[in-house]
Each structure stands twice: as C-alpha cells, then as structure tokens.
Amino acid sequence: MEQDFVEIKQRVRHYWFKDGIGEIAVGGLLIVLAIYFMAHRALPPVSNAPLYLDFGLAFIFILGVAFTRKLILIFKTHITYPRTGYVEYHMENISSLPARIAIFASIGIFVLLLILIGRWVGSFQWVPALLGVLMGGIAYGVYKTTANLHRFNYHAVLSVVAGFGFSISGLPPQYGLSLYYLLLGLWLIGCGSHMLKKYLQENPLPEAGGDE
Amino acid sequence: MNDALRSLTDLDRVIHEPARLLILTILSGVVRADFLFLQRETGLTKGNLSAHLSRLEESGYIKIEKTFKGKLPLTVCKLTIAGQKALTKYRQQVQEFMKKTSQPN
C-alpha cells in the first residue's frame, strides 16, 4: 500500500513534465547561454569586454531562470491547464521575496564561484564536465522522483557524456561550453517538441462547459 | 478477534473509501489542483467526483474554492491541515495493521 502512495505522488509530479513545455523552455535558455559563450570567445582578449561578460553571466543566469519559469507558466496556462487540468506544485509557490532573493543569490554565487575558481586554477577546461555532471544529476533526480520518465535518463547520460567529451576535446573552454550548451539545448528542444506534439494529439481541448 | 483486526474498526471511514483516499493522496502531493485534473487522475465521473469532494469538504479535509477562468467556472481543491493529519494517521494505522498481521504467530 505504501508503494501505491509513492506511485500516485510520482504520477502527480510526472504531470509537470508530461507536455514537454519545461524542456523546450530550458533548451531555449541553454541556447542563449551557448550564444553568450560564443560571443565571449569572439571578443578580442585585450578588451575589458570578457570581464564584463563574466559578471554579466550571473545576471543572464538569474534573469534567464526567472524568465524561463515565467514562460513555462504562461504556456502551461494556455496549453496544458485547459486540456488536462490545473495543478500548483510546492516549488511553484515560492512567492515570498526573501525566498526568491535566496534562490537568485545562490545561482549568482554559484556562477561567480565557477568564474573565480576558473581564474584561480587558470583553466576553464573542466567546466563542461562539471556542468555535465551537475545537470546530469538534476535530470537523473527528476527521473528517479517521477514515474516512467525514461527520457530524463537519456538527458542525464547525454549531459555527462557531452560534458566530459567537450572537456577533453582540446577545444578552447568557451567553445567547449558553448557547444555543450548548444547540443543539450537542441536535444531538449527536440525532445520537448516531440512530447508537446504527442501531448496535443492525445489531449484535445475539451468542449466548453463547467466543472460540475 | 485479535487486536490487529480490531484496530481496523478505528480507521477513518471518510478516508477509507478508495476514491476519497486517492483524491487525498493526489492533493497531498500538490498545493492545489482543479476539478479537471482530479477527474482525469481518478477516472471518476463528474457527478461521482463532485459527491466525494463534497464529503471531504464536509469533514474539513479539503477546501474547495470556486473561481472563474475567463467565463468558465473553475473548482480548485486544496488539502487542509486537518486533512493532512487525518491522511497521515490513516497511513500509520494501515501500516501498523499490515505489520502486525504479517508477523508469524
């Protein structure tokens, strides 16, 4: 019986990922990051622009995460909720200002730490591998806590393999990071679009009418 | 009748009904969910789900808010603290019963 409780809760969590909208939005954010790192590499090393871009990265992450979250909710409101119902999750309910500040500060500190460690070590070659493991861990966590979301297992494997691949490829770090984000972003958009198409085919808009 | 079997009579009858137990379990994993989502997840008819939700609301286990999405009425349900406590107690009682009855004499 306890197993049934766990499975029901997993099914409810699964609902968030059912339409693929989250993957499309996160994929879009990763492509923006890919463009950012490509620009970073393209700028002349003598100018101060790369330094400004380093600090700009924290803002891109913070604004990107906030914008992506907002975008997901807007699309879900127009596509998912009218078809299969509205659900508000505990993570969505972060409405207090201190909680938001804490989350965004954590992201900012994480990015700045990456930059500072990279400058201290003198190389960013290991960053794609680290990010690959980190994002792979998140994808694997989603796979483990939801029901039958095997595609997240593939996301995790691709993230780790691509991260390590680009780290040892010998490419300049910004290119390695850029290609890692590009590959993962395109993969997520592709998977998400496929899931969204399937979801729309399986769940046409119900006829207008009240709940009861 | 042994104690383990007798403990079953103490179970909360409101929650013990399978459909209501399913509704409460779903709601325990979210902040709130609407009627359409609950209907799809439980597989109940509109009338049946409506009756079970009313029973749960009467018992104080869920809170039902009726709002509008555009011109369409929207029924949003939320587990109350009393509902959360009752569900936790029910799960503990069933677990206890399973443990007692699975022990060899």
Side-chain angles (χ1 to χ4, degrees):
Chain A
M1 182 164 182
E2 206 48 34
Q3 185 58 29
D4 293 334
F5 276 105
V6 173
E7 280 175 16
I8 291 167
K9 287 198 169 186
Q10 282 183 335
R11 237 176 53 199
V12 173
R13 276 196 289 269
H14 180 140
Y15 182 65
W16 175 261
F17 302 98
K18 198 177 172 181
D19 51 19
I21 288 172
E23 281 150 287
I24 296 172
V26 172
L29 175 64
L30 294 185
I31 288 177
V32 170
L33 287 169
I35 294 167
Y36 165 85
F37 281 105
M38 202 60 88
H40 198 290
R41 177 68 188 170
L43 287 168
V46 287
S47 79
N48 277 332
L51 183 67
Y52 299 140
L53 278 172
D54 278 351
F55 290 105
L57 179 59
F59 290 105
I60 288 180
F61 258 101
I62 292 166
L63 291 177
V65 168
F67 181 70
T68 304
R69 182 176 168 274
K70 195 85 186 158
L71 207 63
I72 291 171
L73 290 177
I74 289 170
F75 277 110
K76 279 190 179 286
T77 303
H78 288 93
I79 296 171
T80 314
Y81 299 153
R83 286 176 167 79
T84 47
Y86 166 78
V87 178
E88 186 183 322
Y89 292 89
H90 292 285
M91 279 300 286
E92 268 181 71
N93 202 22
I94 305 164
S95 52
S96 73
L97 190 63
R100 284 184 184 193
I101 291 171
I103 289 170
F104 292 143
S106 308
I107 297 169
I109 289 167
F110 172 74
V111 174
L112 286 176
L113 267 179
L114 272 185
I115 294 165
L116 290 175
I117 292 170
R119 285 183 178 271
W120 179 56
V121 174
S123 167
F124 286 94
Q125 210 68 45
W126 47 273
V127 176
L130 180 80
L131 281 177
V133 171
L134 188 75
M135 291 184 66
I138 293 170
Y140 186 70
V142 171
Y143 162 70
K144 287 297 277 184
T145 54
T146 49
N148 301 318
L149 275 174
H150 293 291
R151 69 182 194 277
F152 275 80
N153 222 356
Y154 302 133
H155 299 345
V157 171
L158 178 74
S159 175
V160 173
V161 171
F164 275 97
F166 288 123
S167 269
I168 59 170
S169 66
L171 285 167
Q174 288 97 335
Y175 279 151
L177 259 181
S178 182
L179 289 174
Y180 166 79
Y181 282 129
L182 185 68
L183 179 69
L184 211 65
L186 289 175
W187 167 263
L188 287 179
I189 288 175
C191 283
S193 302
H194 174 70
M195 290 315 298
L196 182 60
K197 191 180 163 194
K198 201 172 144 196
Y199 171 82
L200 291 174
Q201 280 170 351
E202 287 172 359
N203 301 286
L205 263 177
E207 285 174 25
D211 284 338
E212 291 147 272
Chain B
M1 203 194 295
N2 65 28
D3 287 346
L5 281 174
R6 200 171 291 125
S7 69
L8 277 181
T9 59
D10 294 335
L11 287 176
D12 188 332
R13 301 294 170 99
V14 176
I15 300 182
H16 194 53
E17 205 287 324
R20 290 197 286 266
L21 178 58
L22 182 56
I23 293 166
L24 287 184
T25 307
I26 291 169
L27 289 176
S28 70
V30 297
V31 176
R32 66 188 89 216
D34 77 350
F35 191 91
L36 177 60
F37 176 77
L38 289 173
Q39 196 195 346
R40 292 183 67 99
E41 286 298 306
T42 57
L44 296 168
T45 60
K46 281 186 179 182
N48 216 344
L49 176 60
S50 192
H52 285 304
L53 290 178
S54 297
R55 182 79 180 86
L56 287 167
E57 191 184 28
E58 280 166 21
S59 305
Y61 292 163
I62 64 167
K63 193 178 169 200
I64 301 175
E65 291 162 9
K66 291 189 186 273
T67 57
F68 279 86
K69 192 165 60 182
K71 286 180 180 173
L72 287 180
L74 184 73
T75 307
V76 182
C77 306
K78 185 180 181 176
L79 192 67
T80 60
I81 294 170
Q84 184 64 60
K85 280 182 184 167
L87 182 64
T88 306
K89 188 182 172 193
Y90 176 84
R91 286 173 69 175
Q92 283 168 348
Q93 283 176 313
V94 172
Q95 275 176 346
E96 194 67 23
F97 170 75
M98 298 296 275
K99 214 164 78 181
K100 280 179 185 169
T101 50
S102 62
Q103 280 169 358
N105 289 323

